């Protein structure tokens, strides 16, 4: 009887316990991929974070060199074989309440670094071109602009590879030799011009710079890996 009484007291005590309401709070992690400056968001866009290096093919490379020698003086060879294509881009988001125009007509080359060194670029002009009206797009409030560049990964020799970029203004950029491994990439956007001369198929126009965003911003680094395709 004593045991039953204790069980009854426990049951009654449980019923008398107050109910405590609680909820789980999930902390939002900060977005380190986008840098916001003066109400403008800048982001590095890399669709493929793992880049496949081209397979080594000495025969293909020799044939390309031979063909390049045949057409030298008439057409500049684009890049050595074998190669693979990838894309890298810069996204700009206009979070301000006014329309703003941005300058994609200047040289916009990504910064590429390893853990302990920066990869340098060597460039030369293939054909000089003036800036076009399309090089200065307008972003309305809340709109975003994305500027993509094609990057070509090509085999040099042994375990060395290179990156090749053709800029819209006719410059051809080639990186220092790379090896398989981890790299970090970002863009530095610079515009100091308030008045820009634009070219179209009809006439030449000078655009007032009152709606241009002026400044210099380096986007956050994005990690990429160059791996073997074999």
């Amino acid at each position: 009887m004593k045991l039953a009484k204790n069980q009854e007291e426990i049951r009654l005590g449980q019923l008398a316990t107050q109910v405590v309401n609680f909820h789980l709070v999930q902390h939002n992690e900060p977005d380190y991929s986008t840098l916001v400056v003066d109400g403008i968001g800048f982001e590095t866009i890399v669709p493929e974070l793992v880049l496949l290096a081209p397979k080594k093919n000495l025969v293909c490379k020799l044939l390309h060199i031979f063909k390049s020698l045949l057409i030298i003086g008439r057409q500049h060879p684009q890049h050595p074989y074998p190669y693979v294509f990838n894309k890298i881009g810069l996204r700009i988001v206009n979070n301000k309440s006014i329309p703003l125009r941005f300058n994609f007509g200047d040289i916009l080359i990504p910064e590429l670094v390893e853990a302990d060194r920066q990869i340098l670029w060597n460039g030369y002009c293939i054909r000089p071109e003036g800036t076009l009206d399309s090089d200065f797009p307008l972003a309305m409030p809340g709109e975003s602009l994305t500027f993509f560049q094609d990057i070509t990964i090509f085999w040099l020799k042994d375990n060395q590879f290179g990156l090749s970029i053709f800029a819209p203004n006719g410059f051809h950029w080639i990186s220092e030799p790379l090896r398989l491994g981890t790299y970090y990439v970002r863009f530095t956007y610079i515009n100091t011009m308030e008045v820009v001369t634009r070219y179209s198929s009809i006439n030449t126009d000078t655009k007032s710079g009152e709606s241009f965003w002026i400044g210099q911003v380096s986007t956050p680094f994005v990690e990429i890996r160059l791996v073997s395709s074999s």
Side-chain angles (χ1 to χ4, degrees):
M1 294 293 297
K2 186 175 182 180
L3 179 60
K5 182 178 180 181
N6 290 340
Q7 290 178 345
E8 183 68 17
E9 290 176 352
I10 294 175
R11 187 179 66 83
L12 293 175
Q14 290 175 341
L15 293 176
T17 302
Q18 294 183 348
V19 178
V20 178
N21 295 324
F22 68 94
H23 61 277
L24 298 178
V25 178
Q26 182 178 1
H27 296 280
N28 294 325
E29 295 294 334
D31 184 6
Y32 294 108
S33 63
T34 301
L35 179 65
V36 179
V37 177
D38 188 29
I40 309 299
F42 297 85
E43 182 181 3
T44 307
I45 304 297
V46 184
E48 300 292 336
L49 298 179
V50 178
L51 308 181
L52 297 180
K55 295 181 179 180
K56 303 172 186 177
N57 190 327
L58 185 58
V59 175
C60 188
K61 188 177 182 67
L62 292 176
L63 287 176
H64 172 75
I65 295 175
F66 177 73
K67 292 180 180 179
S68 300
L69 293 175
L70 292 179
I71 63 175
I72 191 168
R74 291 183 294 152
Q75 179 181 354
H76 194 283
Q78 292 188 346
H79 34 63
Y81 287 91
Y83 58 83
V84 292
F85 286 112
N86 283 276
K87 286 184 176 296
I88 186 172
L90 168 66
R91 177 180 293 158
I92 298 178
V93 182
N94 182 10
N95 296 314
K96 298 178 75 70
S97 59
I98 59 174
L100 288 172
R101 196 173 295 275
F102 295 88
N103 182 5
F104 289 154
D106 288 341
I107 300 172
L108 193 61
I109 301 302
E111 180 181 354
L112 188 67
V113 299
E114 278 186 302
D116 56 350
R117 73 183 182 106
Q118 181 175 353
I119 307 299
L120 300 180
W121 298 84
N122 298 310
Y124 50 87
C125 189
I126 298 176
R127 56 189 186 282
E129 294 181 355
T131 53
L132 302 176
D133 184 75
S134 58
D135 293 328
F136 307 99
L138 181 68
M140 300 300 292
E143 288 186 345
S144 63
L145 302 172
T146 303
F147 173 80
F148 273 110
Q149 284 186 319
D150 292 326
I151 288 187
T152 307
I153 306 175
F154 58 92
W155 175 53
L156 290 172
K157 63 177 182 178
D158 300 329
N159 293 319
Q160 294 184 347
F161 303 88
L163 295 184
S164 173
I165 295 179
F166 283 93
N169 59 1
F171 269 84
H172 181 199
W173 296 91
I174 299 178
S175 72
E176 289 184 328
L178 307 177
R179 296 185 180 273
L180 302 180
T182 301
Y183 297 88
Y184 301 88
V185 63
R186 71 177 179 182
F187 279 101
T188 296
Y189 174 87
I190 303 176
N191 181 45
T192 59
M193 297 183 295
E194 296 183 355
V195 177
V196 177
T197 301
R198 305 177 300 166
Y199 298 87
S200 66
S201 59
I202 301 177
N203 53 21
T204 301
D205 180 28
T206 300
K207 176 66 179 179
S208 174
E210 59 184 14
S211 62
F212 277 81
W213 188 87
I214 299 175
Q216 175 175 338
V217 176
S218 294
T219 61
F221 279 109
V222 172
E223 180 181 312
I224 59 175
R225 290 191 296 127
L226 182 61
V227 301
S228 175
S229 58
S230 57

